[in-house]
Amino acid sequence: MSALLTAPYETRRVLDKYGIRAKKKFGQNFLIHGDIVRGIVAAAGVTKDDCVLEIGPGIGTMTQELSLAAGQVVAVEIDTTLEPVLAETLDGCTNVTILWQDILKTDLPSLRDTYNGGRRLKCVANLPYYITTPILLQLLRQRDVFESITVMVQKEVAERILATEKDKEYGALSLAVRYYSVPRVDLNVPPSSFTPRPAVDSTVLTLTLRDTPPVEADEAFLFALIRASFNQRRKTLANGLSHGFSQDGWTLTREDVVEALAALSLPADVRGEKLSLEQFADLANELEKRRKCGNSAPSPARNE
Ligand code: SAM
């Protein structure tokens, strides 16, 4: 391994040597402070028994620390111009494999099977902020692939993730995170910990994946319902869902939704942003019952 990158001058030396300018289009903000990097790895609880997926190793700053702490590290990086840099900074790190590809197109179960014999991975990443939500949703849905996900995100995204139905930041992401995991705040990170400095504060979170969801409902239906509710945020659920919901050719009428809400003792004019995960699950189950009894009709009939 070359000199550790967790000192600002070493990071700048490497960037200068390879003439690298951080690419905005890939969300590149490189960490430069050792205490933050070590803090993230410690928060993730990485040990030599672990195989870690790192998303976006960049110039290898956190990868070096992960290599020291973990048994195996698989790092997925989209920017192939960083290849010569990582060849230097990770020289001798025999437990690190770099895959030059897009994380959103990566087959995660096959990484688990190939690099950790089918045992679950820990994910540790300073995420590219432009695709935080799609990456998080992709990771969370793979509860058989990860035991925990420790990620640096924009502070505002952390607030959305941790929000409850009492907060204005509450939305589909808060619900998805709660459904799949138990979130925890590890540390807050100021812009001065990166080069270039991002315009926003950052927060490191650990999401510990649940073995089973905290509510019982058809997962695909529940999330289709949640998405439709928050797509029409300003509308009441009855109006939003009767116009914005469709799954496998089924749609809902205003009456379906109002009756289901009444069965749950919820007001007819309630908005989605006021419902907890448990209430969304109850609503999904109530609507599902009606669908099975034939109270809801397939959408072609509705359009006539
Ligand atoms: N881990 C490094 C650090 O902490 O200094 C760099 C973090 S930087 C915020 C995000 C990294 O993700 C960059 O290296 C960027 O090139 C990479 N990246 C961006 N989009 C990606 C994608 N779709 N798949 C894989 N890596 C991606």
Side-chain angles (χ1 to χ4, degrees):
M1 188 187 296
S2 73
L4 286 178
L5 291 164
T6 44
Y9 61 84
E10 186 55 25
T11 308
R12 285 195 192 105
R13 182 193 69 75
V14 169
L15 293 174
D16 288 349
K17 176 173 172 188
Y18 291 93
I20 290 171
R21 290 177 154 263
K23 296 184 188 71
K24 241 187 175 164
K25 69 167 178 174
F26 289 142
Q28 291 177 348
N29 297 94
F30 302 117
L31 276 166
I32 51 172
H33 285 147
D35 49 351
I36 301 291
V37 175
R38 285 186 292 275
I40 298 170
V41 176
V46 175
T47 72
K48 286 285 169 195
D49 283 338
D50 293 317
C51 177
V52 173
L53 166 69
E54 185 188 8
I55 299 165
I59 60 170
T61 313
M62 197 150 68
T63 327
Q64 291 182 332
E65 290 291 331
L66 288 170
S67 171
L68 294 171
Q72 285 292 322
V73 180
V74 183
V76 175
E77 173 59 63
I78 200 168
D79 183 4
T80 51
T81 65
L82 297 172
E83 227 170 318
V85 187
L86 289 182
E88 174 183 328
T89 60
L90 300 178
D91 184 32
C93 297
T94 51
N95 61 348
V96 177
T97 307
I98 310 283
L99 302 175
W100 298 97
Q101 59 197 54
D102 183 343
I103 190 64
L104 295 175
K105 295 183 184 149
T106 297
D107 179 348
L108 298 171
S110 109
L111 286 195
R112 172 201 57 198
D113 297 344
T114 308
Y115 295 97
N116 206 26
R119 288 189 304 132
R120 291 194 299 170
L121 313 171
K122 285 184 175 165
C123 176
V124 184
N126 170 15
L127 287 180
Y129 291 172
Y130 74 108
I131 43 170
T132 301
T133 302
I135 292 179
L136 280 181
L137 291 177
Q138 181 202 20
L139 300 177
L140 286 167
R141 287 186 189 126
Q142 311 274 345
R143 67 164 73 87
D144 297 339
V145 174
F146 297 103
E147 63 176 272
S148 62
I149 300 168
T150 299
V151 278
M152 174 104 71
V153 298
Q154 223 172 297
K155 185 171 165 235
E156 285 71 18
V157 175
E159 286 166 357
R160 275 169 48 208
I161 285 175
L162 298 166
T164 70
E165 63 279 14
K166 297 180 184 67
D167 303 310
K168 66 176 188 321
E169 295 84 3
Y170 185 60
L173 183 62
S174 335
L175 284 156
V177 169
R178 268 219 56 210
Y179 181 85
Y180 292 109
S181 74
V182 178
R184 173 188 84 212
V185 175
D186 294 321
L187 51 152
N188 292 312
V189 182
S192 58
S193 302
F194 305 84
T195 187
R197 290 179 181 216
V200 292
D201 284 328
S202 301
T203 300
V204 177
L205 297 175
T206 292
L207 314 179
T208 305
L209 276 286
R210 298 177 189 270
D211 291 330
T212 49
V215 293
E216 269 183 50
D218 178 274
E219 191 170 311
F221 182 50
L222 174 65
F223 281 101
L225 209 57
I226 289 172
R227 269 194 308 277
S229 306
F230 285 95
N231 279 346
Q232 315 259 339
R233 210 183 173 102
R234 286 169 194 283
K235 293 191 178 172
T236 64
L237 267 182
N239 283 340
L241 293 179
S242 55
H243 290 104
F245 177 84
S246 153
Q247 191 203 27
D248 300 337
W250 286 88
T251 55
L252 297 165
T253 64
R254 213 187 119 73
E255 294 69 48
D256 293 331
V257 183
V258 170
E259 282 173 27
L261 289 172
L264 300 171
S265 307
L266 287 165
D269 62 353
V270 72
R271 290 175 204 275
E273 62 197 16
K274 293 290 167 225
L275 262 55
S276 65
L277 178 61
E278 290 69 20
Q279 287 171 316
F280 266 114
D282 289 344
L283 180 64
N285 291 331
E286 197 58 46
L287 289 166
E288 196 70 75
K289 255 193 267 167
R290 278 151 211 285
R291 185 195 279 198
K292 281 183 186 135
C293 296
N295 287 9
S296 298
S299 52
R302 284 194 186 291
N303 294 337
E304 280 166 12

